[in-house]
Amino acid sequence: MRFLVTRSPEDALRTAEKLAARGHEACLAPVTRIVPTGDPMPLDSYDALIVTSAHAEDALASLDRTKPVFAVGERTAEPLRAAGFASITVAEGDAVSLVRLIRGTLAPGLTLLHVTARHHKEEPAASLRASGFTILQWEAYEAKAVEMLPSNAGEALRTGQIGAALHYSRRSADLVIRLAGEAGVASSLLSVPQLCLSADVAAPLTSAGATTLVAEEPSEEALLGLLDRLP
């Protein structure tokens, strides 16, 4: 089966390899690209770091490697290890487990620097603030939207070559719906199953009338496990 993959280019290539290992093909159609924002790092002192995406890799050179760092999952921890951070604690791949890990490790009242994206969710910062931590957020990178649906994706959708689509973020799901509409292939996109990392990711697709399948947990392994549920 051929799957539409709309992740940023580097992430999409990794997903394509995993699909190929399962005997499937990827149609790479990134609707975002990761770029630095240029925003300066906060000048306030901090006690520990929070990193919730491997896309923070370029920002790591600016950070104090002696500070303890909490990574949302193993994929995010990889560039931290490569950069030489001394103390890395890894959560289970989602904001809930990250908050639980930090609460169980650090005392309330500490200041945490969260290296995050321009378009980011309220968690884990909201729950950590509610638990008594001070959160500094550095929007160091952003997933910049492309201006139009990649032509290969438009052609594949138009000619019925796509069997299903994979979605990893709500923002990219929103974007691909809009871009597909502008390209005149929205009905083709929404007529195939949409495999989603979470219920939040699935929401705009469900609202648009698509059939959505949601991973049991927010990990790529669980998402790709949905392939077994396809006809």
Side-chain angles (χ1 to χ4, degrees):
M1 184 179 290
R2 194 176 191 198
F3 289 84
L4 187 69
V5 181
T6 61
R7 309 183 78 187
S8 59
E10 299 83 358
D11 293 332
L13 286 172
R14 286 190 295 272
T15 298
E17 292 175 356
K18 293 180 179 181
L19 286 171
R22 292 170 174 256
H24 300 290
E25 182 183 354
C27 175
L28 302 185
V31 296
T32 61
R33 55 189 179 89
I34 305 302
V35 296
T37 61
D39 290 2
M41 186 176 71
L43 297 177
D44 309 64
S45 61
Y46 58 92
D47 300 294
L49 288 159
I50 304 171
V51 182
T52 46
S53 172
H55 292 147
E57 183 173 7
D58 289 344
L60 299 181
S62 306
L63 303 174
D64 185 347
R65 289 165 176 74
T66 67
K67 299 288 187 183
V69 55
F70 293 84
V72 71
E74 282 296 335
R75 170 77 185 100
T76 303
E78 290 173 8
L80 291 164
R81 296 188 183 103
F85 282 83
S87 174
I88 304 168
T89 308
V90 185
E92 298 170 15
D94 61 274
V96 173
S97 66
L98 181 60
V99 169
R100 183 169 60 244
L101 177 64
I102 293 172
R103 284 173 173 166
T105 306
L106 300 178
L110 297 180
T111 298
L112 312 178
L113 174 62
H114 181 195
V115 186
T116 188
R118 176 80 79 207
H119 305 280
H120 58 81
K121 298 179 181 179
E122 293 184 1
E123 296 295 346
S127 292
L128 290 170
R129 288 192 179 103
S131 298
F133 295 95
T134 297
I135 306 298
L136 305 174
Q137 289 187 316
W138 179 24
E139 296 178 350
Y141 57 93
E142 67 174 313
K144 192 174 182 64
V146 302
E147 295 181 355
M148 63 183 65
L149 188 72
S151 59
N152 64 311
E155 180 64 18
L157 286 166
R158 192 173 292 110
T159 56
Q161 299 177 43
I162 301 300
L166 297 174
H167 301 281
Y168 291 75
S169 77
R170 180 166 182 152
R171 182 162 181 263
S172 64
D174 277 321
L175 284 171
V176 74
I177 293 169
R178 176 174 65 80
L179 295 173
E182 293 172 357
V185 292
S187 60
S188 298
L189 169 68
L190 299 173
S191 68
V192 301
Q194 313 290 316
L195 280 56
C196 304
L197 192 68
S198 69
D200 181 60
V201 173
L205 294 154
T206 302
S207 296
T211 297
T212 58
L213 298 176
V214 178
E216 293 183 357
E217 60 180 38
S219 69
E220 185 166 41
E221 291 70 24
L223 178 60
L224 294 179
L226 295 175
L227 272 59
D228 298 331
R229 293 170 53 184
L230 294 175

